[in-house]
Amino acid sequence: PKWLRSSWLFEIVNTSTHHNIHHAKSKGNYGLYFRLWDRLMATEHPDYLEAYDKIQNRRFKSRHSKSSLRKGRLLIVLAMTSLSLSPISAQMNIEGVWKDKKGGGTIRIYEEDGLYFGQLIDAEKQAEREKIKAHGKVVFLKNFQKKSSNEFCCGTIYQLREKRSISATLLLKDEKTLVINGWYGRFTGRRIWKRLGMK
């Protein structure tokens, strides 16, 4: 709302602009609900206030006529239609066989009862191959939920060497590239997997 910018509440709570800058810039603005944490930890992105003020000025200082509102609605409908008909979105499917280039594992991702899982089916190191044979089916990724056409959240990844599960999200960057973001306590990590069988 218009009054938020001049309120003490603005200094504490988060806004969608704050969160969008986090995704656009990839650094800073880590707080999900409270801006206060980023301010205390000095992780707030320096462009936040300028971006917020621009959006507020555009939103509250411009006057929309009925015809411009109709045009805006029409553009939104056209954009949504073109996105739904896009050949790229139709091809974005997380299911398949993926290769962890850094760790050397081969993982088959599959859907079961609306959740996504990943079974470790091969490894480069002989000791890890032996573990796969000894345990039979090693479920490496568990309980990922589809958040959008290319984002999957709220699941876990099992780390064989450390013998622990960590929280993670999956992001299909394109049909051949899967980005895995994991965290354990205060530690975070990222892996890139490549889809096998695609050139």
Side-chain angles (χ1 to χ4, degrees), residues 169-180:
T169 59
L170 309 175
L171 174 69
L172 267 172
K173 196 170 181 184
D174 55 51
E175 61 183 281
K176 300 175 188 175
T177 311
L178 183 63
V179 179
I180 295 89

Side-chain angles (χ1 to χ4, degrees), residues 39-50:
R39 297 185 74 207
L40 286 172
M41 304 307 287
T43 56
E44 184 169 84
H45 199 280
D47 295 346
Y48 170 57
L49 292 176
E50 183 184 345

Side-chain angles (χ1 to χ4, degrees), residues 72-85:
R73 288 182 187 139
L74 180 62
L75 285 172
I76 290 169
V77 169
L78 288 172
M80 290 175 70
T81 304
S82 67
L83 283 173
S84 65
L85 297 175

